Amino acid sequence: MDKVKAKKHLGQHFLTDENIAKKIADTLHFEGYDNVLEIGPGMGVLTKYLLEKPVNTYVIEIDTESVDYLNANYPKLHNHIISQDFLKYDINKTFEGKQFAIIGNFPYNISSQIVFRALELRSQVAEFSGMFQKEVAERICEKKGSKTYGILSVLVQAFYDAEYLFTVHENVFNPPPKVKSGVLRLKRKENFALPCNEKLFFTVVKTGFQQRRKTLRNSLKSLNLSESLREDTIFDLRPEQLDVQQFIAITQKIEADAI
Ligand code: SAH
Protein backbone atom coordinates (compact mmCIF):
# COMPACT_ATOMS: atom_id res chain seq x y z
CA MET A 1 0.00 0.00 0.00
CA ASP A 2 1.17 3.54 -0.78
CA LYS A 3 2.54 5.72 1.97
CA VAL A 4 0.19 8.16 3.68
CA LYS A 5 0.37 11.68 2.29
CA ALA A 6 1.13 14.09 5.17
CA LYS A 7 -1.79 16.36 6.05
CA LYS A 8 -0.81 19.61 7.69
CA HIS A 9 -4.11 20.25 9.49
CA LEU A 10 -3.67 16.95 11.35
CA GLY A 11 -0.16 17.89 12.47
CA GLN A 12 1.32 15.04 10.46
CA HIS A 13 5.12 14.90 10.51
CA PHE A 14 6.18 11.31 10.08
CA LEU A 15 9.28 10.17 11.93
CA THR A 16 11.75 8.57 9.50
CA ASP A 17 14.54 7.50 11.89
CA GLU A 18 14.01 3.93 13.10
CA ASN A 19 16.58 4.24 15.91
CA ILE A 20 14.76 7.21 17.39
CA ALA A 21 11.41 5.43 17.05
CA LYS A 22 12.82 2.45 18.94
CA LYS A 23 14.34 4.74 21.57
CA ILE A 24 10.95 6.40 22.15
CA ALA A 25 9.19 3.04 22.46
CA ASP A 26 11.83 2.08 25.05
CA THR A 27 11.03 5.09 27.27
CA LEU A 28 8.11 3.32 28.95
CA HIS A 29 8.82 0.91 31.81
CA PHE A 30 5.92 -1.50 31.01
CA GLU A 31 5.29 -2.08 34.71
CA GLY A 32 2.03 -1.69 36.59
CA TYR A 33 -0.21 -1.84 33.48
CA ASP A 34 -1.03 -4.33 30.73
CA ASN A 35 -2.22 -1.82 28.14
CA VAL A 36 -0.52 0.90 26.15
CA LEU A 37 -2.34 3.51 24.07
CA GLU A 38 -0.42 5.15 21.27
CA ILE A 39 -1.97 8.44 20.17
CA GLY A 40 -1.52 9.33 16.49
CA PRO A 41 0.38 6.29 15.15
CA GLY A 42 0.38 7.53 11.55
CA MET A 43 2.18 4.83 9.55
CA GLY A 44 3.19 2.94 12.68
CA VAL A 45 6.87 3.80 12.99
CA LEU A 46 6.60 3.61 16.81
CA THR A 47 3.84 1.03 16.83
CA LYS A 48 6.00 -1.74 15.38
CA TYR A 49 8.38 -1.49 18.36
CA LEU A 50 5.50 -1.33 20.85
CA LEU A 51 4.14 -4.55 19.38
CA GLU A 52 7.33 -6.30 20.55
CA LYS A 53 6.68 -5.32 24.19
CA PRO A 54 4.97 -7.46 26.83
CA VAL A 55 1.74 -5.38 26.75
CA ASN A 56 -1.43 -5.00 24.70
CA THR A 57 -0.85 -2.17 22.27
CA TYR A 58 -3.81 -0.05 21.17
CA VAL A 59 -3.61 2.89 18.80
CA ILE A 60 -6.01 5.78 18.29
CA GLU A 61 -5.80 7.64 14.99
CA ILE A 62 -8.05 10.35 13.55
CA ASP A 63 -6.84 10.00 9.94
CA THR A 64 -8.71 7.27 8.05
CA GLU A 65 -5.97 7.00 5.42
CA SER A 66 -3.48 6.16 8.21
CA VAL A 67 -5.97 3.68 9.71
CA ASP A 68 -6.21 1.89 6.34
CA TYR A 69 -2.41 1.82 6.14
CA LEU A 70 -2.12 0.32 9.65
CA ASN A 71 -4.75 -2.30 8.91
CA ALA A 72 -2.91 -3.32 5.76
CA ASN A 73 0.59 -3.39 7.27
CA TYR A 74 0.21 -4.49 10.89
CA PRO A 75 -1.93 -7.61 11.08
CA LYS A 76 -0.74 -8.01 14.70
CA LEU A 77 -2.74 -4.92 15.67
CA HIS A 78 -5.95 -6.70 14.48
CA ASN A 79 -8.84 -5.12 16.40
CA HIS A 80 -6.71 -2.71 18.45
CA ILE A 81 -7.00 0.22 16.03
CA ILE A 82 -9.38 2.90 17.28
CA SER A 83 -10.37 5.13 14.38
CA GLN A 84 -11.28 8.20 16.46
CA ASP A 85 -10.27 11.64 17.72
CA PHE A 86 -8.44 11.09 21.02
CA LEU A 87 -9.81 14.35 22.44
CA LYS A 88 -13.42 13.25 21.89
CA TYR A 89 -13.33 9.50 22.36
CA ASP A 90 -14.38 7.93 25.68
CA ILE A 91 -11.32 5.74 26.18
CA ASN A 92 -13.07 3.59 28.77
CA LYS A 93 -15.11 2.08 25.97
CA THR A 94 -11.80 0.35 25.26
CA PHE A 95 -10.07 0.17 28.65
CA GLU A 96 -13.08 -0.22 30.98
CA GLY A 97 -11.37 1.43 33.93
CA LYS A 98 -8.08 -0.47 33.58
CA GLN A 99 -4.61 1.04 34.07
CA PHE A 100 -2.74 2.03 30.91
CA ALA A 101 0.18 4.05 29.59
CA ILE A 102 0.04 6.72 26.89
CA ILE A 103 2.77 7.13 24.29
CA GLY A 104 3.13 8.94 21.00
CA ASN A 105 4.87 11.23 18.64
CA PHE A 106 2.01 13.62 19.20
CA PRO A 107 0.32 16.04 16.80
CA TYR A 108 1.89 19.27 18.09
CA ASN A 109 -1.18 21.43 17.44
CA ILE A 110 -3.10 19.59 20.18
CA SER A 111 -0.28 18.37 22.42
CA SER A 112 -1.23 20.50 25.46
CA GLN A 113 -4.82 19.31 25.16
CA ILE A 114 -3.59 15.72 25.12
CA VAL A 115 -1.75 16.34 28.40
CA PHE A 116 -4.81 17.96 30.01
CA ARG A 117 -6.93 14.99 28.93
CA ALA A 118 -4.32 12.58 30.35
CA LEU A 119 -4.47 14.51 33.65
CA GLU A 120 -8.24 14.05 33.76
CA LEU A 121 -7.61 10.32 33.32
CA ARG A 122 -4.76 10.25 35.88
CA SER A 123 -6.34 7.55 38.05
CA GLN A 124 -5.76 5.21 35.07
CA VAL A 125 -2.74 6.70 33.30
CA ALA A 126 0.20 5.18 35.16
CA GLU A 127 2.87 6.38 32.76
CA PHE A 128 3.04 8.78 29.82
CA SER A 129 5.88 9.38 27.41
CA GLY A 130 6.38 10.82 24.00
CA MET A 131 7.45 13.58 21.71
CA PHE A 132 6.35 17.20 21.78
CA GLN A 133 7.55 20.45 20.37
CA LYS A 134 10.79 20.93 22.36
CA GLU A 135 9.60 24.04 24.22
CA VAL A 136 6.41 22.32 25.35
CA ALA A 137 8.30 19.26 26.62
CA GLU A 138 10.71 21.56 28.48
CA ARG A 139 7.90 23.63 29.97
CA ILE A 140 6.14 20.55 31.34
CA CYS A 141 9.34 19.48 33.16
CA GLU A 142 10.35 23.01 34.27
CA LYS A 143 10.84 23.93 37.94
CA LYS A 144 9.69 27.12 39.67
CA GLY A 145 11.50 30.38 38.98
CA SER A 146 11.80 29.87 35.24
CA LYS A 147 10.03 32.08 32.69
CA THR A 148 8.43 29.08 31.04
CA TYR A 149 7.19 27.49 34.28
CA GLY A 150 3.40 27.53 34.07
CA ILE A 151 0.05 25.80 34.41
CA LEU A 152 1.14 22.61 32.64
CA SER A 153 4.32 22.32 34.75
CA VAL A 154 2.48 22.60 38.06
CA LEU A 155 -0.52 20.44 37.20
CA VAL A 156 1.60 17.66 35.67
CA GLN A 157 4.20 17.68 38.45
CA ALA A 158 1.51 17.53 41.12
CA PHE A 159 0.70 13.98 40.02
CA TYR A 160 3.71 12.82 37.97
CA ASP A 161 7.51 12.82 38.17
CA ALA A 162 8.46 14.57 34.94
CA GLU A 163 11.72 13.97 33.10
CA TYR A 164 12.95 15.62 29.91
CA LEU A 165 14.79 12.81 28.11
CA PHE A 166 16.28 13.96 24.79
CA THR A 167 16.00 16.39 21.89
CA VAL A 168 15.18 15.36 18.32
CA HIS A 169 16.30 17.31 15.25
CA GLU A 170 13.72 18.40 12.64
CA ASN A 171 15.49 16.63 9.75
CA VAL A 172 14.36 13.16 10.91
CA PHE A 173 10.74 13.90 9.97
CA ASN A 174 8.86 13.92 6.71
CA PRO A 175 7.94 16.70 6.16
CA PRO A 176 10.32 18.37 8.66
CA PRO A 177 8.55 20.56 11.24
CA LYS A 178 9.73 24.15 11.78
CA VAL A 179 10.69 23.42 15.39
CA LYS A 180 12.85 21.02 17.33
CA SER A 181 11.23 18.20 19.25
CA GLY A 182 11.71 16.91 22.76
CA VAL A 183 10.89 13.56 24.34
CA LEU A 184 9.72 13.36 27.95
CA ARG A 185 8.50 10.77 30.40
CA LEU A 186 5.91 11.20 33.15
CA LYS A 187 5.72 8.55 35.83
CA ARG A 188 2.74 8.78 38.14
CA LYS A 189 3.64 9.30 41.79
CA GLU A 190 3.13 6.41 44.17
CA ASN A 191 0.59 8.41 46.14
CA PHE A 192 -1.00 10.79 43.67
CA ALA A 193 -3.96 11.93 45.77
CA LEU A 194 -3.33 15.54 46.79
CA PRO A 195 -3.85 16.49 50.45
CA CYS A 196 -6.29 19.22 49.38
CA ASN A 197 -9.41 19.73 47.29
CA GLU A 198 -8.11 18.80 43.83
CA LYS A 199 -10.74 20.74 41.91
CA LEU A 200 -9.90 23.88 43.87
CA PHE A 201 -6.17 23.20 43.31
CA PHE A 202 -6.73 23.23 39.51
CA THR A 203 -8.70 26.49 39.85
CA VAL A 204 -6.01 28.14 42.00
CA VAL A 205 -3.20 27.18 39.59
CA LYS A 206 -5.10 28.21 36.45
CA THR A 207 -6.38 31.48 37.95
CA GLY A 208 -2.98 32.34 39.42
CA PHE A 209 -1.16 31.94 36.12
CA GLN A 210 -3.73 33.92 34.12
CA GLN A 211 -1.85 37.01 35.30
CA ARG A 212 1.63 35.69 35.89
CA ARG A 213 3.22 39.11 36.57
CA LYS A 214 0.85 39.86 39.47
CA THR A 215 1.01 38.70 43.07
CA LEU A 216 -1.41 35.94 43.97
CA ARG A 217 -3.20 38.42 46.24
CA ASN A 218 -4.23 40.26 43.09
CA SER A 219 -4.73 37.41 40.69
CA LEU A 220 -6.80 35.30 43.11
CA LYS A 221 -9.23 38.14 43.92
CA SER A 222 -12.02 36.37 42.09
CA LEU A 223 -11.85 33.57 44.69
CA ASN A 224 -13.19 35.97 47.37
CA LEU A 225 -10.51 35.44 50.02
CA SER A 226 -11.21 36.81 53.48
CA GLU A 227 -9.44 39.94 54.75
CA SER A 228 -7.34 37.95 57.21
CA LEU A 229 -6.30 35.33 54.67
CA ARG A 230 -5.25 38.04 52.23
CA GLU A 231 -2.70 39.23 54.80
CA ASP A 232 -0.86 35.89 54.66
CA THR A 233 2.60 36.55 53.17
CA ILE A 234 2.34 33.60 50.78
CA PHE A 235 0.05 35.82 48.68
CA ASP A 236 2.94 38.28 48.17
CA LEU A 237 4.40 35.80 45.70
CA ARG A 238 3.86 35.56 41.96
CA PRO A 239 2.70 32.20 40.56
CA GLU A 240 6.05 31.37 38.96
CA GLN A 241 7.69 31.52 42.43
CA LEU A 242 5.59 28.67 43.83
CA ASP A 243 6.29 24.96 43.57
CA VAL A 244 3.61 22.27 43.73
CA GLN A 245 3.79 22.00 47.54
CA GLN A 246 3.22 25.74 47.91
CA PHE A 247 0.23 25.65 45.55
CA ILE A 248 -1.15 22.83 47.69
CA ALA A 249 -0.53 24.92 50.84
CA ILE A 250 -2.40 27.87 49.29
CA THR A 251 -5.29 25.62 48.31
CA GLN A 252 -5.48 24.25 51.88
CA LYS A 253 -5.51 27.80 53.28
CA ILE A 254 -8.34 28.80 50.94
CA GLU A 255 -10.28 25.68 51.89
CA ALA A 256 -9.87 26.43 55.61
CA ASP A 257 -10.84 30.05 54.96
CA ALA A 258 -14.16 29.03 53.45
CA ILE A 259 -15.27 27.14 56.55
N1 SAH B 1 3.45 8.69 15.22
C1 SAH B 1 3.63 8.94 13.79
C2 SAH B 1 2.81 10.14 13.31
C3 SAH B 1 3.10 11.43 13.99
S1 SAH B 1 2.20 12.78 13.27
C4 SAH B 1 5.10 9.13 13.48
O1 SAH B 1 5.87 9.33 14.41
O2 SAH B 1 5.47 9.11 12.31
C5 SAH B 1 0.79 12.90 14.37
C6 SAH B 1 -0.29 11.86 14.14
O3 SAH B 1 -1.40 12.18 14.99
C7 SAH B 1 -0.85 11.82 12.72
O4 SAH B 1 -0.91 10.49 12.28
C8 SAH B 1 -2.27 12.42 12.86
O5 SAH B 1 -3.19 11.93 11.92
C9 SAH B 1 -2.63 12.01 14.27
N2 SAH B 1 -3.65 12.83 14.93
C10 SAH B 1 -3.84 14.18 14.81
N3 SAH B 1 -4.85 14.59 15.59
C11 SAH B 1 -5.33 13.48 16.24
C12 SAH B 1 -6.39 13.27 17.18
N4 SAH B 1 -7.14 14.28 17.62
N5 SAH B 1 -6.61 12.01 17.64
C13 SAH B 1 -5.84 10.98 17.19
N6 SAH B 1 -4.83 11.13 16.30
C14 SAH B 1 -4.58 12.37 15.83
Side-chain angles (χ1 to χ4, degrees):
M1 189 182 161
D2 285 346
K3 293 209 160 167
V4 175
K5 192 173 170 303
K7 299 163 200 73
K8 204 174 171 191
H9 71 284
L10 294 178
Q12 290 183 337
H13 296 278
F14 298 113
L15 183 62
T16 55
D17 186 318
E18 293 292 331
N19 289 325
I20 294 175
K22 186 172 185 306
K23 206 167 149 189
I24 295 174
D26 285 341
T27 56
L28 290 177
H29 289 98
F30 305 100
E31 281 164 18
Y33 48 84
D34 296 324
N35 300 289
V36 170
L37 178 68
E38 184 189 353
I39 301 172
M43 286 184 280
V45 65
L46 267 179
T47 321
K48 65 165 97 63
Y49 297 106
L50 293 171
L51 284 169
E52 295 172 358
K53 306 290 184 189
V55 284
N56 304 314
T57 298
Y58 289 81
V59 299
I60 183 161
E61 174 57 65
I62 199 170
D63 176 34
T64 51
E65 191 188 349
S66 294
V67 168
D68 291 344
Y69 183 95
L70 293 165
N71 270 317
N73 288 280
Y74 298 94
K76 266 178 98 181
L77 265 178
H78 44 275
N79 52 0
H80 286 190
I81 303 176
I82 309 164
S83 183
Q84 295 276 347
D85 177 344
F86 171 70
L87 297 177
K88 298 200 181 130
Y89 180 67
D90 173 8
I91 201 64
N92 276 317
K93 285 188 180 148
T94 302
F95 289 139
E96 299 172 328
K98 293 191 194 106
Q99 294 293 305
F100 63 99
I102 290 178
I103 193 166
N105 164 21
F106 302 115
Y108 294 172
N109 50 341
I110 58 162
S111 60
S112 300
Q113 291 172 70
I114 290 174
V115 176
F116 280 119
R117 184 80 191 106
L119 284 176
E120 284 170 13
L121 293 164
R122 61 187 175 276
S123 65
Q124 285 173 262
V125 179
E127 200 170 31
F128 179 117
S129 71
M131 188 142 61
F132 291 82
Q133 179 177 335
K134 180 169 187 262
E135 287 72 22
V136 177
E138 284 173 342
R139 183 175 325 143
I140 291 171
C141 303
E142 198 59 84
K143 299 292 178 216
K144 72 171 179 181
S146 141
K147 271 206 183 80
T148 54
Y149 179 71
I151 294 176
L152 268 186
S153 338
V154 180
L155 295 182
V156 166
Q157 292 171 40
F159 305 103
Y160 292 86
D161 293 321
E163 241 182 302
Y164 184 91
L165 299 176
F166 55 91
T167 302
V168 178
H169 196 273
E170 48 272 39
N171 64 9
V172 297
F173 297 89
N174 182 25
K178 291 203 175 66
V179 292
K180 291 213 184 316
S181 300
V183 175
L184 60 65
R185 174 174 53 222
L186 311 178
K187 198 166 184 335
R188 195 176 57 200
K189 292 178 190 290
E190 201 74 36
N191 180 3
F192 59 95
L194 303 186
C196 67
N197 179 320
E198 294 187 348
K199 196 159 171 265
L200 183 61
F201 173 82
F202 274 75
T203 304
V204 168
V205 174
K206 286 182 177 172
T207 314
F209 275 106
Q210 264 161 25
Q211 296 162 292
R212 63 182 294 136
R213 305 305 310 155
K214 295 202 173 165
T215 66
L216 289 158
R217 185 168 297 112
N218 263 312
S219 57
L220 296 183
K221 260 190 185 138
S222 61
L223 301 183
N224 289 324
L225 313 182
S226 72
E227 193 78 20
S228 62
L229 183 60
R230 281 164 50 80
E231 281 167 19
D232 193 308
T233 53
I234 199 164
F235 292 100
D236 294 341
L237 298 172
R238 285 180 280 117
E240 66 206 35
Q241 297 174 297
L242 267 65
D243 62 18
V244 169
Q245 294 315 317
Q246 288 167 299
F247 270 108
I248 291 173
I250 284 206
T251 307
Q252 289 169 334
K253 283 174 198 253
I254 296 175
E255 269 181 273
D257 190 49
I259 294 166

